[in-house]
Amino acid sequence: MKRVAVLISGGGSNMVALAESMKGDHPARPVLVLANSADAGGLDKARGLGIEADHVDHRPFKGDRAAFEDVLHDRLMQARPDILCLAGFMRVLTEGFVSRWQGRMLNIHPSLLPKYRGLHTHARAIEAGDREHGCTVHEVTPALDDGPILGQARVPIQPGDTAETLAAKVLEQEHRLYPACLRRFAAGDRSRVDL
Ligand code: GAR
């Protein structure tokens, strides 16, 4: 059984989707949810699901990313995870941290990568006049929102969609895609999921 830790910054709806999927014959179990702020709404959701939850506040480190990540890494190691899932974790990670978890760390990003790395992906897709948008699960490598793609889910952009309506539709697909990709990944299967 693989042990999974999930890093969050906000409401943690993807974390909940992942946690709820890791049951029965699933090859993994959630062992820790860790946030970079005590205010992350997902922490209480994790506790409600019976998962250990904690935070390492990035603010006292005042931009010293490596020092923050050393503490984050130590806290993670207490839970001995095999796989690390970034689920709305909004801190950019250094190459040093990523290399410690390379091949064992996944991320979900709200665009059809390689399009729209970074922020404001929904507004950028609408502004570009795209007909479809979506989300991507990928292995994390040092370059931002890069790394081997494990799966994508597509969402048509309808006339009248706003960044908010599109974000809600994409988030619904994120909740299907991430669990599907994690299940395969935890079983050692890196074939791509397309939804
Ligand atoms: C999700 O849409 C996720 O794809 C996005 O943040 C949201 C978190 O929602 N992640 C990124 O933008 C990472 N660059 P959640 O906290 O409800 O899972």
Side-chain angles (χ1 to χ4, degrees):
M1 194 65 77
K2 292 280 194 293
R3 300 169 63 81
V4 174
V6 185
L7 292 186
I8 63 169
S9 295
S13 69
N14 276 289
M15 176 278 296
V16 170
L18 289 174
E20 287 181 339
S21 74
M22 287 185 259
K23 288 183 179 147
D25 66 354
H26 196 291
R29 290 290 182 269
V31 294
L32 177 67
V33 172
L34 195 53
N36 61 298
S37 159
D39 301 334
L43 289 174
D44 277 342
K45 292 181 192 159
R47 292 183 188 112
L49 290 166
I51 306 165
E52 187 182 352
D54 201 356
H55 73 277
V56 177
D57 192 336
H58 68 276
R59 287 169 300 188
F61 296 93
K62 298 190 195 306
D64 185 347
R65 288 184 194 277
F68 164 65
E69 290 170 353
D70 281 344
V71 178
L72 197 70
H73 184 80
D74 286 348
R75 181 63 189 89
L76 280 170
M77 290 317 288
Q78 290 171 23
R80 295 178 290 105
D82 302 298
I83 298 171
L84 197 50
C85 288
L86 306 182
F89 186 67
M90 303 309 277
R91 307 301 303 166
V92 174
L93 296 166
T94 68
E95 185 163 359
F97 184 89
V98 172
S99 61
R100 287 195 251 186
W101 292 94
Q102 191 135 0
R104 301 186 294 147
M105 178 161 43
L106 309 185
N107 180 43
I108 188 154
H109 182 73
S111 79
L112 294 173
L113 290 173
K115 279 188 154 184
Y116 312 126
R117 297 186 166 102
L119 299 175
H120 311 302
T121 56
H122 311 297
R124 287 156 70 198
I126 290 171
E127 271 160 31
D130 291 356
R131 305 280 294 275
E132 65 171 8
H133 186 47
C135 49
T136 302
V137 173
H138 63 96
E139 283 185 52
V140 178
T141 55
L144 183 70
D145 299 329
D146 202 6
I149 290 178
L150 296 169
Q152 291 189 316
R154 288 162 195 279
V155 171
I157 300 181
Q158 310 284 4
D161 263 332
T162 63
E164 289 70 32
T165 62
L166 192 52
K169 290 186 227 178
V170 171
L171 193 61
E172 224 174 274
Q173 294 308 310
E174 292 184 40
H175 298 162
R176 297 175 62 222
L177 181 69
Y178 212 173
C181 292
L182 176 63
R183 178 182 274 270
R184 281 196 195 178
F185 188 81
D189 174 359
R190 292 180 190 208
S191 63
R192 193 183 150 114
V193 177
D194 279 291
L195 297 179

